[in-house]
Amino acid sequence: MSGKTQEILDIYSSVMMPTYAPSVVLASGKGVTVRDADGLTRYDFTSGIGVHNVGHCNTKVVKAIQDQAAKLTHSSNLFANEPATELAAKLVELSGLGGKVFFCNSGAEANEAAIKLARKWGSQNGGRYEIVTMRQGFHGRTLATVAATAQAWCQEGYDPLPVGFAYADFNDLESVRAAVTDKTVAIMLEAVQGEGGVTPATEEFMKGVRALCDEKNLLMICDEVQCGMGRTGTWFAWQGYDVKPDLFTLAKALADGIPMGALISNAKFADVFTKSAHGSTFGGNPIAAAAALAVIQVIEEEGLLQRAVEMGELFREALQGFVDKYEGLLEVRGNGLLLGLVVDGDPAEVVEALKAQGVLALVAGGNVVRFLPPLVLKPEVLEDVTDMIDGALDCVFGE
Ligand SMILES: *Cc1c(COP(=O)(O)O)cnc(C)c1O
């Protein structure tokens, strides 16, 4: 750390609440690289935590934001705007669920909307309100989504949490079945748990949850905030499982860094939120919507779903090679370009060594190094990064 970085971080720690402890100050980004306040360039294999699927400052997204900013920056929901309407139509089409969309501004808000919709419907269908969520899942930081997040570190100190959540073990259908009562209205899960440790659902589990929801008249809610928008090689990760949820949520990568969240329903639940039943001042913001439309266009035109699969395979092979090489590594997990390296030890140590090599990565769960590179990743960059990862692993686990 030097000059400008230290200067900014000193001010940061005196005026920002210490919920985070950054050691890097980002000044600019382009594609898969970011530049810090002192001009040092690194590969960003966090994508701003799963946000920059089309890369930092993607030319088409920047242009869409600039054009829209000069036209109309906000319409409120008293008035419709064209980009949000077009985006909703596009999301309905990509989902194939034939439903409708509610826009908000973040992942937690999108999940909050899903929880409220499920409860609204449940209130009219047997007075049911309980939602079963998965241990090691992550759904956000509002009170309801913290209650939905079955992890102690997230909940500690916030009692009383909203009631109405029950927890089950991920990839264990019997555990989910056991958590369902006559008050249950929905089951909510990530097809690939991100924060909780980069754990994909098994196909059997996803299909089992769908069947259980059909049997008990429950909504199946997929939280696609991290695994959605092409990251696992399909538009939405649930599409890789041959199941259809009733509701799913998006945020992180939706608008490439402009805050935006969305709740998407199927046809059956499209009109549960009636007039004034829910709302958001900024939801469907035209700049965010224009950015999201550009993101979708880039993913389509540049074949990024296929790229996520291909680069994901190459990256997985490289990581598997390290598991074979270093005793401190246990396994590789994940789908597409949402990959986790499970370590026998502290993943933060590896993330720190990676930073020194020039690669930004994340931790997940208690023992996973998480990689979320932009989907625009090219083989030559991956090769470069693979060498850097080898160097970092050698520092931590080498003889
Ligand atoms: C990040 C995340 C959230 C929360 O999104 P915010 O935009 O931070 O509120 C919810 N669910 C999942 C799966 C996430 O990864």
Side-chain angles (χ1 to χ4, degrees), residues 292-321:
L293 283 167
V295 165
I296 291 169
Q297 192 189 351
V298 170
I299 292 175
E300 281 174 341
E301 286 175 0
E302 298 185 17
L304 296 185
L305 300 182
Q306 186 58 28
R307 184 95 67 90
V309 172
E310 287 166 11
M311 296 307 295
E313 270 166 27
L314 281 179
F315 196 12
R316 175 187 289 275
E317 274 168 33
L319 293 175
Q320 186 57 49

PDB file of all heavy atoms in Angstrom, residues 292-321:
ATOM      1  N   ALA A 292     -29.178  -2.599 -18.271  1.00  0.00           N
ATOM      2  CA  ALA A 292     -29.516  -4.023 -18.285  1.00  0.00           C
ATOM      3  C   ALA A 292     -29.833  -4.515 -19.693  1.00  0.00           C
ATOM      4  O   ALA A 292     -29.434  -5.616 -20.088  1.00  0.00           O
ATOM      5  CB  ALA A 292     -30.694  -4.294 -17.342  1.00  0.00           C
ATOM      6  N   LEU A 293     -30.539  -3.685 -20.466  1.00  0.00           N
ATOM      7  CA  LEU A 293     -30.824  -4.070 -21.856  1.00  0.00           C
ATOM      8  C   LEU A 293     -29.523  -4.232 -22.641  1.00  0.00           C
ATOM      9  O   LEU A 293     -29.383  -5.155 -23.451  1.00  0.00           O
ATOM     10  CB  LEU A 293     -31.722  -3.017 -22.528  1.00  0.00           C
ATOM     11  CG  LEU A 293     -33.202  -3.077 -22.129  1.00  0.00           C
ATOM     12  CD1 LEU A 293     -33.927  -1.820 -22.588  1.00  0.00           C
ATOM     13  CD2 LEU A 293     -33.876  -4.326 -22.712  1.00  0.00           C
ATOM     14  N   ALA A 294     -28.550  -3.343 -22.373  1.00  0.00           N
ATOM     15  CA  ALA A 294     -27.251  -3.445 -23.050  1.00  0.00           C
ATOM     16  C   ALA A 294     -26.510  -4.704 -22.585  1.00  0.00           C
ATOM     17  O   ALA A 294     -25.876  -5.391 -23.396  1.00  0.00           O
ATOM     18  CB  ALA A 294     -26.417  -2.198 -22.782  1.00  0.00           C
ATOM     19  N   VAL A 295     -26.599  -5.019 -21.300  1.00  0.00           N
ATOM     20  CA  VAL A 295     -25.956  -6.234 -20.777  1.00  0.00           C
ATOM     21  C   VAL A 295     -26.494  -7.467 -21.513  1.00  0.00           C
ATOM     22  O   VAL A 295     -25.729  -8.323 -21.979  1.00  0.00           O
ATOM     23  CB  VAL A 295     -26.213  -6.384 -19.250  1.00  0.00           C
ATOM     24  CG1 VAL A 295     -25.873  -7.787 -18.767  1.00  0.00           C
ATOM     25  CG2 VAL A 295     -25.410  -5.342 -18.462  1.00  0.00           C
ATOM     26  N   ILE A 296     -27.818  -7.532 -21.636  1.00  0.00           N
ATOM     27  CA  ILE A 296     -28.441  -8.693 -22.292  1.00  0.00           C
ATOM     28  C   ILE A 296     -28.005  -8.769 -23.754  1.00  0.00           C
ATOM     29  O   ILE A 296     -27.677  -9.841 -24.272  1.00  0.00           O
ATOM     30  CB  ILE A 296     -29.981  -8.611 -22.165  1.00  0.00           C
ATOM     31  CG1 ILE A 296     -30.371  -8.838 -20.692  1.00  0.00           C
ATOM     32  CG2 ILE A 296     -30.673  -9.624 -23.066  1.00  0.00           C
ATOM     33  CD1 ILE A 296     -31.821  -8.541 -20.368  1.00  0.00           C
ATOM     34  N   GLN A 297     -27.955  -7.600 -24.402  1.00  0.00           N
ATOM     35  CA  GLN A 297     -27.534  -7.546 -25.803  1.00  0.00           C
ATOM     36  C   GLN A 297     -26.090  -8.046 -25.952  1.00  0.00           C
ATOM     37  O   GLN A 297     -25.784  -8.825 -26.857  1.00  0.00           O
ATOM     38  CB  GLN A 297     -27.668  -6.109 -26.308  1.00  0.00           C
ATOM     39  CG  GLN A 297     -27.546  -5.979 -27.813  1.00  0.00           C
ATOM     40  CD  GLN A 297     -27.467  -4.514 -28.248  1.00  0.00           C
ATOM     41  OE1 GLN A 297     -27.678  -3.596 -27.436  1.00  0.00           O
ATOM     42  NE2 GLN A 297     -27.146  -4.308 -29.509  1.00  0.00           N
ATOM     43  N   VAL A 298     -25.209  -7.616 -25.050  1.00  0.00           N
ATOM     44  CA  VAL A 298     -23.802  -8.040 -25.124  1.00  0.00           C
ATOM     45  C   VAL A 298     -23.689  -9.553 -24.904  1.00  0.00           C
ATOM     46  O   VAL A 298     -22.957 -10.243 -25.621  1.00  0.00           O
ATOM     47  CB  VAL A 298     -22.938  -7.270 -24.086  1.00  0.00           C
ATOM     48  CG1 VAL A 298     -21.543  -7.880 -23.987  1.00  0.00           C
ATOM     49  CG2 VAL A 298     -22.848  -5.789 -24.451  1.00  0.00           C
ATOM     50  N   ILE A 299     -24.425 -10.069 -23.918  1.00  0.00           N
ATOM     51  CA  ILE A 299     -24.373 -11.514 -23.650  1.00  0.00           C
ATOM     52  C   ILE A 299     -24.813 -12.283 -24.893  1.00  0.00           C
ATOM     53  O   ILE A 299     -24.192 -13.279 -25.285  1.00  0.00           O
ATOM     54  CB  ILE A 299     -25.240 -11.877 -22.420  1.00  0.00           C
ATOM     55  CG1 ILE A 299     -24.623 -11.288 -21.147  1.00  0.00           C
ATOM     56  CG2 ILE A 299     -25.389 -13.399 -22.282  1.00  0.00           C
ATOM     57  CD1 ILE A 299     -25.441 -11.476 -19.880  1.00  0.00           C
ATOM     58  N   GLU A 300     -25.862 -11.788 -25.556  1.00  0.00           N
ATOM     59  CA  GLU A 300     -26.365 -12.461 -26.764  1.00  0.00           C
ATOM     60  C   GLU A 300     -25.369 -12.350 -27.909  1.00  0.00           C
ATOM     61  O   GLU A 300     -24.983 -13.345 -28.516  1.00  0.00           O
ATOM     62  CB  GLU A 300     -27.716 -11.858 -27.196  1.00  0.00           C
ATOM     63  CG  GLU A 300     -28.872 -12.387 -26.347  1.00  0.00           C
ATOM     64  CD  GLU A 300     -30.212 -11.703 -26.635  1.00  0.00           C
ATOM     65  OE1 GLU A 300     -30.221 -10.591 -27.223  1.00  0.00           O
ATOM     66  OE2 GLU A 300     -31.246 -12.281 -26.243  1.00  0.00           O
ATOM     67  N   GLU A 301     -24.919 -11.115 -28.202  1.00  0.00           N
ATOM     68  CA  GLU A 301     -24.076 -10.887 -29.375  1.00  0.00           C
ATOM     69  C   GLU A 301     -22.699 -11.533 -29.245  1.00  0.00           C
ATOM     70  O   GLU A 301     -22.120 -11.968 -30.235  1.00  0.00           O
ATOM     71  CB  GLU A 301     -23.909  -9.380 -29.620  1.00  0.00           C
ATOM     72  CG  GLU A 301     -25.165  -8.735 -30.186  1.00  0.00           C
ATOM     73  CD  GLU A 301     -25.035  -7.220 -30.312  1.00  0.00           C
ATOM     74  OE1 GLU A 301     -23.974  -6.656 -29.969  1.00  0.00           O
ATOM     75  OE2 GLU A 301     -26.017  -6.611 -30.753  1.00  0.00           O
ATOM     76  N   GLU A 302     -22.175 -11.568 -28.025  1.00  0.00           N
ATOM     77  CA  GLU A 302     -20.826 -12.113 -27.855  1.00  0.00           C
ATOM     78  C   GLU A 302     -20.833 -13.569 -27.417  1.00  0.00           C
ATOM     79  O   GLU A 302     -19.780 -14.129 -27.079  1.00  0.00           O
ATOM     80  CB  GLU A 302     -20.034 -11.224 -26.870  1.00  0.00           C
ATOM     81  CG  GLU A 302     -19.892  -9.810 -27.419  1.00  0.00           C
ATOM     82  CD  GLU A 302     -19.009  -8.913 -26.559  1.00  0.00           C
ATOM     83  OE1 GLU A 302     -18.248  -9.420 -25.720  1.00  0.00           O
ATOM     84  OE2 GLU A 302     -19.100  -7.682 -26.753  1.00  0.00           O
ATOM     85  N   GLY A 303     -21.996 -14.188 -27.408  1.00  0.00           N
ATOM     86  CA  GLY A 303     -22.094 -15.610 -27.078  1.00  0.00           C
ATOM     87  C   GLY A 303     -21.524 -15.929 -25.704  1.00  0.00           C
ATOM     88  O   GLY A 303     -20.809 -16.915 -25.522  1.00  0.00           O
ATOM     89  N   LEU A 304     -21.869 -15.092 -24.711  1.00  0.00           N
ATOM     90  CA  LEU A 304     -21.223 -15.239 -23.399  1.00  0.00           C
ATOM     91  C   LEU A 304     -21.745 -16.418 -22.583  1.00  0.00           C
ATOM     92  O   LEU A 304     -21.080 -16.862 -21.645  1.00  0.00           O
ATOM     93  CB  LEU A 304     -21.321 -13.931 -22.604  1.00  0.00           C
ATOM     94  CG  LEU A 304     -20.567 -12.747 -23.222  1.00  0.00           C
ATOM     95  CD1 LEU A 304     -20.631 -11.540 -22.291  1.00  0.00           C
ATOM     96  CD2 LEU A 304     -19.103 -13.086 -23.528  1.00  0.00           C
ATOM     97  N   LEU A 305     -22.936 -16.947 -22.937  1.00  0.00           N
ATOM     98  CA  LEU A 305     -23.407 -18.137 -22.213  1.00  0.00           C
ATOM     99  C   LEU A 305     -22.466 -19.301 -22.538  1.00  0.00           C
ATOM    100  O   LEU A 305     -21.984 -20.014 -21.659  1.00  0.00           O
ATOM    101  CB  LEU A 305     -24.848 -18.480 -22.604  1.00  0.00           C
ATOM    102  CG  LEU A 305     -25.914 -17.401 -22.342  1.00  0.00           C
ATOM    103  CD1 LEU A 305     -27.291 -17.910 -22.728  1.00  0.00           C
ATOM    104  CD2 LEU A 305     -25.897 -16.964 -20.882  1.00  0.00           C
ATOM    105  N   GLN A 306     -22.189 -19.437 -23.846  1.00  0.00           N
ATOM    106  CA  GLN A 306     -21.274 -20.487 -24.301  1.00  0.00           C
ATOM    107  C   GLN A 306     -19.866 -20.248 -23.742  1.00  0.00           C
ATOM    108  O   GLN A 306     -19.176 -21.177 -23.326  1.00  0.00           O
ATOM    109  CB  GLN A 306     -21.281 -20.497 -25.839  1.00  0.00           C
ATOM    110  CG  GLN A 306     -20.496 -21.622 -26.473  1.00  0.00           C
ATOM    111  CD  GLN A 306     -20.993 -22.989 -26.026  1.00  0.00           C
ATOM    112  OE1 GLN A 306     -22.162 -23.161 -25.677  1.00  0.00           O
ATOM    113  NE2 GLN A 306     -20.080 -23.968 -25.986  1.00  0.00           N
ATOM    114  N   ARG A 307     -19.454 -18.993 -23.717  1.00  0.00           N
ATOM    115  CA  ARG A 307     -18.126 -18.629 -23.215  1.00  0.00           C
ATOM    116  C   ARG A 307     -17.999 -19.016 -21.740  1.00  0.00           C
ATOM    117  O   ARG A 307     -16.954 -19.497 -21.301  1.00  0.00           O
ATOM    118  CB  ARG A 307     -17.873 -17.127 -23.397  1.00  0.00           C
ATOM    119  CG  ARG A 307     -16.485 -16.650 -23.001  1.00  0.00           C
ATOM    120  CD  ARG A 307     -15.513 -16.574 -24.156  1.00  0.00           C
ATOM    121  NE  ARG A 307     -15.905 -15.535 -25.083  1.00  0.00           N
ATOM    122  CZ  ARG A 307     -15.492 -14.259 -25.008  1.00  0.00           C
ATOM    123  NH1 ARG A 307     -14.661 -13.881 -24.078  1.00  0.00           N
ATOM    124  NH2 ARG A 307     -15.891 -13.385 -25.899  1.00  0.00           N
ATOM    125  N   ALA A 308     -19.082 -18.799 -20.980  1.00  0.00           N
ATOM    126  CA  ALA A 308     -19.048 -19.144 -19.552  1.00  0.00           C
ATOM    127  C   ALA A 308     -18.818 -20.646 -19.382  1.00  0.00           C
ATOM    128  O   ALA A 308     -18.070 -21.081 -18.502  1.00  0.00           O
ATOM    129  CB  ALA A 308     -20.340 -18.721 -18.864  1.00  0.00           C
ATOM    130  N   VAL A 309     -19.447 -21.430 -20.259  1.00  0.00           N
ATOM    131  CA  VAL A 309     -19.287 -22.886 -20.189  1.00  0.00           C
ATOM    132  C   VAL A 309     -17.855 -23.270 -20.562  1.00  0.00           C
ATOM    133  O   VAL A 309     -17.171 -23.998 -19.833  1.00  0.00           O
ATOM    134  CB  VAL A 309     -20.286 -23.593 -21.144  1.00  0.00           C
ATOM    135  CG1 VAL A 309     -19.989 -25.089 -21.227  1.00  0.00           C
ATOM    136  CG2 VAL A 309     -21.719 -23.352 -20.684  1.00  0.00           C
ATOM    137  N   GLU A 310     -17.379 -22.749 -21.696  1.00  0.00           N
ATOM    138  CA  GLU A 310     -16.054 -23.127 -22.206  1.00  0.00           C
ATOM    139  C   GLU A 310     -14.932 -22.667 -21.278  1.00  0.00           C
ATOM    140  O   GLU A 310     -14.031 -23.443 -20.937  1.00  0.00           O
ATOM    141  CB  GLU A 310     -15.842 -22.544 -23.612  1.00  0.00           C
ATOM    142  CG  GLU A 310     -16.651 -23.274 -24.669  1.00  0.00           C
ATOM    143  CD  GLU A 310     -16.709 -22.504 -25.985  1.00  0.00           C
ATOM    144  OE1 GLU A 310     -15.952 -21.506 -26.147  1.00  0.00           O
ATOM    145  OE2 GLU A 310     -17.525 -22.891 -26.829  1.00  0.00           O
ATOM    146  N   MET A 311     -14.991 -21.386 -20.893  1.00  0.00           N
ATOM    147  CA  MET A 311     -13.940 -20.875 -20.014  1.00  0.00           C
ATOM    148  C   MET A 311     -14.047 -21.517 -18.630  1.00  0.00           C
ATOM    149  O   MET A 311     -13.042 -21.739 -17.959  1.00  0.00           O
ATOM    150  CB  MET A 311     -14.018 -19.349 -19.918  1.00  0.00           C
ATOM    151  CG  MET A 311     -13.761 -18.621 -21.222  1.00  0.00           C
ATOM    152  SD  MET A 311     -12.216 -19.084 -22.019  1.00  0.00           S
ATOM    153  CE  MET A 311     -11.040 -18.483 -20.835  1.00  0.00           C
ATOM    154  N   GLY A 312     -15.281 -21.818 -18.233  1.00  0.00           N
ATOM    155  CA  GLY A 312     -15.493 -22.488 -16.953  1.00  0.00           C
ATOM    156  C   GLY A 312     -14.819 -23.848 -16.935  1.00  0.00           C
ATOM    157  O   GLY A 312     -14.197 -24.238 -15.941  1.00  0.00           O
ATOM    158  N   GLU A 313     -14.918 -24.560 -18.072  1.00  0.00           N
ATOM    159  CA  GLU A 313     -14.286 -25.876 -18.151  1.00  0.00           C
ATOM    160  C   GLU A 313     -12.769 -25.766 -18.078  1.00  0.00           C
ATOM    161  O   GLU A 313     -12.110 -26.513 -17.359  1.00  0.00           O
ATOM    162  CB  GLU A 313     -14.697 -26.591 -19.444  1.00  0.00           C
ATOM    163  CG  GLU A 313     -15.939 -27.432 -19.261  1.00  0.00           C
ATOM    164  CD  GLU A 313     -16.561 -27.874 -20.581  1.00  0.00           C
ATOM    165  OE1 GLU A 313     -15.817 -27.986 -21.591  1.00  0.00           O
ATOM    166  OE2 GLU A 313     -17.787 -28.091 -20.601  1.00  0.00           O
ATOM    167  N   LEU A 314     -12.214 -24.807 -18.850  1.00  0.00           N
ATOM    168  CA  LEU A 314     -10.760 -24.607 -18.835  1.00  0.00           C
ATOM    169  C   LEU A 314     -10.272 -24.245 -17.434  1.00  0.00           C
ATOM    170  O   LEU A 314      -9.261 -24.774 -16.943  1.00  0.00           O
ATOM    171  CB  LEU A 314     -10.367 -23.468 -19.786  1.00  0.00           C
ATOM    172  CG  LEU A 314     -10.310 -23.764 -21.277  1.00  0.00           C
ATOM    173  CD1 LEU A 314      -9.914 -22.496 -22.036  1.00  0.00           C
ATOM    174  CD2 LEU A 314      -9.298 -24.884 -21.563  1.00  0.00           C
ATOM    175  N   PHE A 315     -11.016 -23.330 -16.788  1.00  0.00           N
ATOM    176  CA  PHE A 315     -10.621 -22.851 -15.472  1.00  0.00           C
ATOM    177  C   PHE A 315     -10.716 -23.990 -14.453  1.00  0.00           C
ATOM    178  O   PHE A 315      -9.831 -24.175 -13.605  1.00  0.00           O
ATOM    179  CB  PHE A 315     -11.515 -21.670 -15.075  1.00  0.00           C
ATOM    180  CG  PHE A 315     -11.003 -20.847 -13.928  1.00  0.00           C
ATOM    181  CD1 PHE A 315      -9.708 -20.992 -13.438  1.00  0.00           C
ATOM    182  CD2 PHE A 315     -11.825 -19.901 -13.337  1.00  0.00           C
ATOM    183  CE1 PHE A 315      -9.245 -20.219 -12.375  1.00  0.00           C
ATOM    184  CE2 PHE A 315     -11.379 -19.121 -12.274  1.00  0.00           C
ATOM    185  CZ  PHE A 315     -10.088 -19.296 -11.788  1.00  0.00           C
ATOM    186  N   ARG A 316     -11.786 -24.772 -14.572  1.00  0.00           N
ATOM    187  CA  ARG A 316     -11.976 -25.887 -13.640  1.00  0.00           C
ATOM    188  C   ARG A 316     -10.826 -26.898 -13.756  1.00  0.00           C
ATOM    189  O   ARG A 316     -10.298 -27.370 -12.760  1.00  0.00           O
ATOM    190  CB  ARG A 316     -13.309 -26.585 -13.934  1.00  0.00           C
ATOM    191  CG  ARG A 316     -13.561 -27.834 -13.096  1.00  0.00           C
ATOM    192  CD  ARG A 316     -14.802 -28.543 -13.559  1.00  0.00           C
ATOM    193  NE  ARG A 316     -16.005 -27.798 -13.219  1.00  0.00           N
ATOM    194  CZ  ARG A 316     -16.615 -27.888 -12.036  1.00  0.00           C
ATOM    195  NH1 ARG A 316     -16.156 -28.702 -11.109  1.00  0.00           N
ATOM    196  NH2 ARG A 316     -17.687 -27.185 -11.789  1.00  0.00           N
ATOM    197  N   GLU A 317     -10.440 -27.175 -15.023  1.00  0.00           N
ATOM    198  CA  GLU A 317      -9.322 -28.103 -15.245  1.00  0.00           C
ATOM    199  C   GLU A 317      -8.048 -27.588 -14.583  1.00  0.00           C
ATOM    200  O   GLU A 317      -7.315 -28.339 -13.944  1.00  0.00           O
ATOM    201  CB  GLU A 317      -9.035 -28.262 -16.747  1.00  0.00           C
ATOM    202  CG  GLU A 317      -9.874 -29.314 -17.421  1.00  0.00           C
ATOM    203  CD  GLU A 317      -9.763 -29.231 -18.942  1.00  0.00           C
ATOM    204  OE1 GLU A 317      -8.675 -28.854 -19.452  1.00  0.00           O
ATOM    205  OE2 GLU A 317     -10.770 -29.524 -19.613  1.00  0.00           O
ATOM    206  N   ALA A 318      -7.802 -26.278 -14.751  1.00  0.00           N
ATOM    207  CA  ALA A 318      -6.599 -25.685 -14.158  1.00  0.00           C
ATOM    208  C   ALA A 318      -6.644 -25.805 -12.639  1.00  0.00           C
ATOM    209  O   ALA A 318      -5.647 -26.173 -11.997  1.00  0.00           O
ATOM    210  CB  ALA A 318      -6.472 -24.220 -14.576  1.00  0.00           C
ATOM    211  N   LEU A 319      -7.811 -25.505 -12.058  1.00  0.00           N
ATOM    212  CA  LEU A 319      -7.938 -25.565 -10.595  1.00  0.00           C
ATOM    213  C   LEU A 319      -7.810 -27.009 -10.104  1.00  0.00           C
ATOM    214  O   LEU A 319      -7.212 -27.279  -9.069  1.00  0.00           O
ATOM    215  CB  LEU A 319      -9.276 -24.955 -10.145  1.00  0.00           C
ATOM    216  CG  LEU A 319      -9.423 -23.446 -10.364  1.00  0.00           C
ATOM    217  CD1 LEU A 319     -10.834 -22.989 -10.000  1.00  0.00           C
ATOM    218  CD2 LEU A 319      -8.387 -22.657  -9.560  1.00  0.00           C
ATOM    219  N   GLN A 320      -8.373 -27.946 -10.890  1.00  0.00           N
ATOM    220  CA  GLN A 320      -8.263 -29.363 -10.515  1.00  0.00           C
ATOM    221  C   GLN A 320      -6.786 -29.779 -10.498  1.00  0.00           C
ATOM    222  O   GLN A 320      -6.356 -30.537  -9.629  1.00  0.00           O
ATOM    223  CB  GLN A 320      -9.064 -30.233 -11.491  1.00  0.00           C
ATOM    224  CG  GLN A 320      -9.125 -31.704 -11.094  1.00  0.00           C
ATOM    225  CD  GLN A 320      -9.698 -31.919  -9.691  1.00  0.00           C
ATOM    226  OE1 GLN A 320     -10.757 -31.379  -9.352  1.00  0.00           O
ATOM    227  NE2 GLN A 320      -8.989 -32.676  -8.847  1.00  0.00           N
ATOM    228  N   GLY A 321      -6.020 -29.222 -11.454  1.00  0.00           N
ATOM    229  CA  GLY A 321      -4.583 -29.496 -11.494  1.00  0.00           C
ATOM    230  C   GLY A 321      -3.909 -29.066 -10.188  1.00  0.00           C
ATOM    231  O   GLY A 321      -3.014 -29.767  -9.687  1.00  0.00           O
TER     232      GLY A 321
END
